[in-house]
Amino acid sequence: MYYIDPHIHMVSRTTDDYETLAKMGCVAVSEPAFWAGYDRGSSAGFRDYFEQLTSFEAKRAASYGIQHFTWLCINAKEAENVSLSREVIAMIPEFLDRAGVLGIGEIGLNKNTRNEATIFLEHLDLAAKTDEQILIHTPHLEDKYQGTRMILDMLTGDRRLDRSRILVDHVEEHTVRWVLEAGFWAGMTLYPVSKCTPERAVDMVELYGPERLLVNSAGDWGPSKPTAVPDFILEMRSRGHSEQAIRQVVYENPVKFFSQSRNFTFEAPEWAEAEVRHP
Amino acid sequence: MSTDAASSELLDDEFLPMRARILELAASLDRTERAGQDFQEDPRWGQLQQAVELLLGAGTDRTERLQLLFSRPYQQKWREAWHM
Ligand SMILES: [Zn+2]
């Protein structure tokens, strides 16, 4: 089964991981900008990061036949520094026309503070003015429910935003319904330690249906498994779900969502097209 | 397949993994108790006890209710409170 990982931080993975992903059927990845594990000292650090995301990383992926797409922003953790965040937000438009840039992300909340909310709103304003899609990070653990509800309040409070062009990631059992019912796309992140397992992700597909649901590995510098999407595919199969239903979640949904970005120049491999036409 | 047959088949698959996870949980609780008595004052211990009680109840939304048990509350009027 060919698939797309819609949220994976390849800058923190090795080239061997690209090879493994390619062997497992991954044909494209989308990489949101995020926290590097330490706070960057200046906006120049972000400029270099955006450069890496939009040039080097795409080449590294291409050498394994994987198409690489990306999203730009200052992440929620560093958004606590409001003046730095404003410098970064002012710089983002320079990169928005680059190949493979799908929009603004992953913006969100981390500890649900006032500063984080301020910078989240300023990113929304940038996305609205530049007509960009948005990819959202929801907080983890005890902050997730509160943070997700706050994020939804801010999104639904801005009438300029088109909900079908916004993906809210890291949904779990207590947040997925709120996101889908409000008309947004929802992403389930499969993480070995703190977050959702493939089994629980399949439970959510069974409960809410495959419409507007995506599944990703988030693979980053922490304990994570870049091949988590194939684990999800296997779990779907073992429960008797059709190949068509699986493909909808891991391939067709990401293509449909990303196609709303002007820089989504994805070329579907021939076999994938054939799979879609003649399941 | 009738629903009863399906659920009994599902239990065939799930019984051993669930048994294993309950044993893991029991071992974690034992380990905490062996380390001393201080934990009983910790609010997280109370949360864990509530969580285990929740598991014993009926329903098909235990996971969601557990998630909410471990969540900070959401205040609808947060924007007004912060003048945002
Ligand atoms: Zn991420």
Side-chain angles (χ1 to χ4, degrees):
Chain A
M1 166 96 42
Y2 293 97
Y3 76 93
I4 293 174
D5 194 328
H7 186 144
I8 183 164
H9 298 290
M10 293 307 296
V11 300
S12 43
R13 310 302 312 190
T14 64
T15 301
D16 292 350
D17 286 339
Y18 272 119
E19 187 179 358
T20 306
L21 291 180
K23 285 175 178 167
M24 290 203 159
C26 179
V27 291
V29 293
S30 124
E31 172 157 10
F34 85 138
W35 189 54
Y38 61 92
D39 291 346
R40 292 144 176 114
S42 69
S43 61
F46 283 89
R47 182 183 294 280
D48 290 345
Y49 178 43
F50 296 163
E51 195 65 49
Q52 180 185 16
L53 285 172
T54 55
S55 57
F56 176 67
E57 213 48 49
K59 283 192 204 113
R60 204 159 71 108
S63 61
Y64 291 94
I66 296 174
Q67 297 169 66
H68 183 276
F69 300 94
T70 192
W71 303 73
L72 307 175
C73 75
I74 175 163
N75 58 84
K77 204 163 159 53
E78 284 166 284
E80 197 50 45
N81 183 339
V82 172
S83 58
L84 173 67
S85 299
R86 288 183 173 147
E87 280 177 45
V88 175
I89 290 172
M91 180 178 67
I92 290 172
E94 291 174 37
F95 291 85
L96 289 178
D97 289 327
R98 292 220 179 168
V101 176
L102 299 184
I104 305 300
E106 56 182 304
I107 57 169
L109 297 176
N110 176 48
K111 290 290 166 199
N112 311 336
T113 67
R114 195 175 196 282
N115 283 348
E116 291 168 15
T118 299
I119 294 305
F120 182 83
L121 290 168
E122 292 183 19
H123 275 114
L124 292 189
D125 186 55
L126 172 67
K129 285 179 176 151
T130 52
D131 197 31
E132 292 291 336
Q133 293 214 103
I134 301 171
L135 191 153
I136 289 171
H137 162 95
T138 55
H140 303 308
L141 302 171
E142 73 269 25
D143 300 309
K144 181 177 297 292
Y145 178 73
Q146 182 189 65
T148 303
R149 295 292 307 272
M150 290 168 69
I151 285 168
L152 293 178
D153 287 342
M154 290 187 275
L155 292 172
T156 55
D158 190 332
R159 292 178 184 278
R160 299 170 299 172
L161 302 174
D162 175 353
R163 299 184 191 187
S164 67
R165 296 184 69 217
I166 299 174
L167 166 59
V168 180
D169 261 329
H170 317 318
V171 298
E172 291 183 4
E173 290 85 354
H174 53 325
T175 57
V176 60
R177 186 165 38 90
W178 294 98
V179 173
L180 290 175
E181 281 180 1
F184 301 98
W185 289 74
M188 299 176 289
T189 298
L190 307 177
Y191 238 21
V193 189
S194 58
K195 284 169 245 166
C196 188
T197 58
E199 290 80 4
R200 284 167 50 206
V202 176
D203 290 340
M204 284 188 263
V205 174
E206 289 172 350
L207 283 169
Y208 297 97
E211 285 295 312
R212 283 184 285 120
L213 259 186
L214 303 178
V215 58
N216 65 69
S217 71
D220 57 32
W221 45 263
S224 51
K225 195 177 177 194
T227 55
V229 178
D231 293 345
F232 167 85
I233 293 172
L234 209 58
E235 178 64 20
M236 286 283 282
R237 260 188 207 137
S238 75
R239 293 198 202 174
H241 289 284
S242 70
E243 293 297 293
Q244 171 51 35
I246 303 172
R247 187 166 43 244
Q248 181 180 353
V249 179
V250 303
Y251 183 86
E252 291 166 24
N253 280 353
V255 168
K256 193 170 169 188
F257 175 72
F258 295 149
S259 293
Q260 303 175 97
S261 282
R262 63 198 151 89
N263 290 331
F264 187 60
T265 51
F266 178 64
E267 284 178 37
E270 262 170 50
W271 34 257
E273 289 291 276
E275 257 185 11
V276 172
R277 277 195 308 271
H278 314 287
Chain B
M1 194 172 6
S2 77
T3 315
D4 283 349
S7 73
S8 130
E9 216 173 82
L10 198 59
L11 199 55
D12 287 345
D13 291 342
E14 295 278 10
F15 181 75
L16 285 178
M18 282 201 275
R19 176 185 183 275
R21 288 195 289 263
I22 288 176
L23 284 173
E24 278 300 317
L25 179 60
S28 294
L29 295 171
D30 286 349
R31 213 173 295 135
T32 312
E33 294 239 18
R34 276 202 304 275
Q37 295 297 310
D38 294 349
F39 64 89
Q40 285 174 347
E41 305 303 315
D42 193 313
R44 288 173 299 177
W45 184 252
Q47 240 183 4
L48 288 171
Q49 285 187 313
Q50 272 181 279
V52 173
E53 280 163 24
L54 198 153
L55 289 178
L56 294 172
T60 56
D61 61 345
R62 290 184 188 82
T63 322
E64 184 175 351
R65 285 186 285 137
L66 268 183
Q67 290 272 27
L68 290 171
L69 172 70
F70 289 115
S71 295
R72 285 167 61 195
Y74 156 76
Q75 313 288 353
Q76 211 166 2
K77 299 218 179 292
W78 66 274
R79 284 183 89 157
E80 287 93 323
W82 282 349
H83 306 291
M84 289 184 76

